Amino acid sequence: MRLSNLRLGSGQVPAGTELTRGQRGHQPIAGTAVFRIVRNVVTGLIVGLGVTLAAVQPVQAAPATAAAAAQVYLDPATGPAGSAVTVSGTGFKAATTGTVIVGSSTFSFKTAVSGSFSTSITIPAAAPGPLTITAKTSSIKASSVFTVTSSTPTIPPVSTAALRFGVATAGGPLASAELDDVARLAGESPSSVLFYKDFLQAPPITEMNAVRARGAVPLVTWEPWAWGGGLTQPAYALDRIAAGDFDAYITQWGQALASWGQPVQLRFAHEMNGNWYPWAEGVNGNQSGDYVQAWRHVHDVVAATGASNVSWVWSPNVPYFGSTDLAGLFPGAGYVDIVALDGYNWGTSASWSSWTSPQDLFAPGIAQLRTLAPGLPILIAETASAEAGGSKAQWNTDLVSYLAAQPDVVGFVWFHLQKETDWRINSSEASATAFNAALAARRAS
């Protein structure tokens, strides 16, 4: 039907329009009525036309929902370098391969039909933190951040057991990694650190600070010679020391130690009853009685500086056949704070040596110290065992057990060096295991 045939508002009805029964035989329809009829007709035409147009228009698809953004998840999200981490992701390209990038390392993965994946990676050993971890397929990538924490193992603390454990290492007090290794081997940090200075070296304030920072006490072996100069060094003869030739130097040490102010153990001219150092009597022009005079002089010069924080450690070697008698070498209780012994089980590592138990090694010397200096604390200032000739593991166990049973023995210092033989705690796995267990047992007692 053509809409142009309709004339609205004229009072006319299009030709052929059939009137209702009520409309027949009446006057022509008024304008309003005509308009209503026309309006109804037009509305019908429009509705019909709309249906027709709808039938021929193409069906429009609903707008597609935007794909969810890709996400990467880490489990765990923090940890030390070398950690194993599970990387998972969602929103990636479906059923395809991808790559996880961690620094210069890559790890492959494959996504499921849902676009998700999960794979395991390892954080590189030298990775800094924070570390960005990126997962990507051919067209999609996403990242997450892994926080690298310190991987340094916890260092065990110093023990409060009555029998204290100390150590000497090749690198001395500034070799913190060596001392950390010893602490982990022993299951506790050393309570004292032994090191050596000769008469050409300045007061070791830096080293003492390093020891103090570890919660330990420095045990300074002060040697009156030029290290490496041999047995005959007349400049360092005991009578030269007693005569005051080194007073300026000794005063410098005393003033530095006094200013430092923290507890320090000073082990002057050790193993004087042997014949291998130039401060022993009978060598380097030294006469009987010279050692006591030199010791007392050095002690008094240091004491005059006000260094009351110094504990004087008198430390002979364990007596042996032919060694100088200890009685003539002891300066007197007023000049000594701690009496000590150095003793090693050489086993069969030397042609002249044999396996010696801890009790056989130390008991005779401890008895002499108790006679010379009753009431003074006793320290084993140097000790260790060889592997050759017996069970070092058993020797370690017996040493700690024996010393812990002596109420006046306050500690021992292990010589953790590979020198004449392998004296180290971990010269074998069995030795290290036994040493650790022995210290643990004495902590528990």
Side-chain angles (χ1 to χ4, degrees), residues 17-378:
T17 300
E18 182 180 357
L19 300 178
T20 64
R21 185 179 59 178
Q23 294 170 332
R24 294 172 186 159
H26 292 277
Q27 295 296 323
I29 301 172
T32 299
V34 171
F35 175 77
R36 288 174 180 167
I37 294 172
V38 173
R39 184 188 62 186
N40 292 340
V41 171
V42 172
T43 300
L45 291 173
I46 292 174
V47 172
L49 180 60
V51 172
T52 303
L53 291 175
V56 298
Q57 292 296 319
V59 177
Q60 298 293 324
T65 303
Q71 298 286 333
V72 169
Y73 308 94
L74 307 178
D75 184 21
T78 62
S83 294
V85 176
T86 298
V87 181
S88 56
T90 58
F92 288 82
K93 188 174 180 180
T96 189
T97 57
T99 303
V100 173
I101 304 170
V102 187
S104 59
S105 301
T106 59
F107 303 85
S108 61
F109 66 85
K110 186 171 183 178
T111 60
V113 292
S114 62
S116 64
F117 75 91
S118 180
T119 190
S120 295
I121 68 165
T122 301
I123 301 299
L131 181 65
T132 299
I133 297 177
T134 300
K136 68 176 185 177
T137 56
S138 59
S139 58
I140 300 173
K141 70 177 181 178
S143 300
S144 189
V145 174
F146 183 88
T147 302
V148 180
T149 58
S150 172
S151 58
T152 303
T154 302
I155 304 302
V158 173
S159 170
T160 58
L163 179 70
R164 309 307 290 271
F165 158 63
V167 75
T169 65
L174 300 182
S176 58
E178 288 182 356
L179 294 171
D180 289 348
D181 286 344
V182 167
R184 286 188 284 267
L185 285 170
E188 65 184 63
S189 289
S191 65
S192 64
V193 177
L194 169 67
F195 59 101
Y196 302 80
K197 295 295 178 181
D198 68 9
F199 257 36
L200 296 175
Q201 293 175 285
I205 303 303
T206 300
E207 290 94 330
M208 294 192 300
N209 281 333
V211 173
R212 183 72 181 175
R214 302 184 68 90
V217 175
L219 175 53
V220 185
T221 299
W222 198 17
E223 302 175 323
W225 70 333
W227 183 86
L231 188 60
T232 302
Q233 299 189 39
Y236 297 95
L238 291 173
D239 60 356
R240 296 292 85 216
I241 296 171
D245 287 8
F246 297 93
D247 280 7
Y249 172 73
I250 296 168
T251 298
Q252 178 191 9
W253 265 64
Q255 291 172 340
L257 296 177
S259 296
W260 190 63
Q262 305 296 326
V264 54
Q265 296 175 341
L266 193 59
R267 189 172 71 135
F268 176 70
H270 68 300
E271 298 178 5
M272 75 299 293
N273 59 327
N275 59 4
W276 46 86
Y277 288 125
W279 54 83
E281 294 183 351
V283 303
N284 198 34
N286 300 323
Q287 305 297 315
S288 178
D290 283 351
Y291 182 85
V292 168
Q293 293 304 313
W295 175 285
R296 290 177 176 177
H297 182 80
V298 172
H299 176 280
D300 289 345
V301 172
V302 172
T305 67
S308 58
N309 55 314
V310 173
S311 294
W312 291 84
V313 182
W314 183 72
S315 183
N317 194 77
V318 290
Y320 62 93
F321 180 78
S323 64
T324 304
D325 184 63
L326 296 183
L329 299 172
F330 183 59
Y335 290 89
V336 175
D337 298 295
I338 301 170
V339 289
L341 287 173
D342 293 0
Y344 293 81
N345 172 35
W346 289 77
T348 56
S349 64
S351 60
W352 49 264
S353 63
S354 59
W355 193 264
T356 307
S357 71
Q359 183 167 349
D360 289 343
L361 180 63
F362 289 113
I366 288 175
Q368 290 190 42
L369 295 182
R370 287 169 176 161
T371 300
L372 284 172
L376 286 184
I378 298 172

